[in-house]
Amino acid sequence: LLILLQQLSALDRKLAALQRMGSSGRCCFITAFRKEGVAQTANKMLSIIEQMTTKYPLLPREVLQTEARVYYRLGMLAKGNTKKGAKIAVVCFEIYRDISEAIGYTKGVTVAEVNIALAKSRYKRGSKVNGELLEQDQKTYEQLSKTLGKENTETIRLV
């Protein structure tokens, strides 16, 4: 178990370095090559976690936190201007939310729900008229303001 934990920790650091999260929590520009590296590293991490789950059903909390981070980062990577990317992001953020709920990480649940709402608004834009979009964006803004504050970068980015 210790060796797998060490491998997981090293891969987590590599994933963070590949993705280069900005201070605002948003992904910086990532080249196609680095995107592939992020995806490969994330898949390797999820594979190790699956191995650990089959051998050790009661995993340490840090492993679940790492798994949640992997899905969060995959969601941030997928979240983009395409409908397909936004749909993938929703799935990743839903898994992140579920794991966060399971380990009692309420901030993670809130962040996941905000990102789910933002990603859903991206892929549903083509099927709605401007009035509906404005109403949906207003609701998302109110939710963000209430949970994260008006000064938070996610809230400001929506405005």
Side-chain angles (χ1 to χ4, degrees):
L1 180 64
L2 184 59
I3 292 170
L4 291 174
L5 285 172
Q6 289 171 340
Q7 288 176 339
L8 198 58
S9 178
L11 287 169
D12 192 32
R13 289 190 302 274
K14 179 180 178 181
L15 184 62
L18 279 169
Q19 199 163 22
R20 286 198 184 164
M21 297 296 285
S23 60
S24 66
R26 291 185 286 155
C27 297
C28 299
F29 174 75
I30 297 179
T31 64
F33 177 75
R34 283 209 352 244
K35 274 187 180 183
E36 184 63 30
V38 168
Q40 287 176 354
T41 303
N43 286 332
K44 193 170 193 176
M45 291 175 74
L46 293 174
S47 175
I48 289 172
I49 292 169
E50 188 176 326
Q51 265 185 313
M52 294 169 81
T53 305
T54 57
K55 290 181 182 178
Y56 311 99
L58 297 174
L59 292 175
R61 180 183 169 100
E62 68 185 27
V63 174
L64 296 174
Q65 289 170 329
T66 301
E67 183 179 18
R69 270 194 312 276
V70 169
Y71 281 108
Y72 172 78
R73 289 177 176 154
L74 286 172
M76 293 301 285
L77 184 67
K79 185 171 77 169
N81 295 327
T82 67
K83 287 183 179 186
K84 182 180 177 183
K87 286 180 180 183
I88 293 169
V90 168
V91 172
C92 291
F93 290 132
E94 286 173 343
I95 295 170
Y96 172 64
R97 180 196 58 209
D98 294 345
I99 295 171
S100 294
E101 280 179 349
I103 61 175
Y105 183 48
T106 55
K107 184 178 178 185
V109 173
T110 301
V111 168
E113 288 175 351
V114 165
N115 280 296
I116 290 167
L118 289 171
K120 281 183 176 180
S121 74
R122 284 195 179 105
Y123 74 77
K124 291 182 177 178
R125 286 196 181 273
S127 62
K128 295 188 178 185
V129 295
N130 287 340
E132 290 177 68
L133 289 174
L134 184 59
E135 186 178 321
Q136 182 180 352
D137 286 347
Q138 182 63 37
K139 286 178 184 176
T140 304
Y141 172 76
E142 288 169 8
Q143 180 187 7
L144 286 171
S145 298
K146 192 177 357 175
T147 56
L148 300 176
K150 291 184 180 189
E151 302 300 318
N152 184 281
T153 55
E154 289 293 319
T155 307
I156 293 168
R157 189 174 57 149
L158 184 64
V159 177

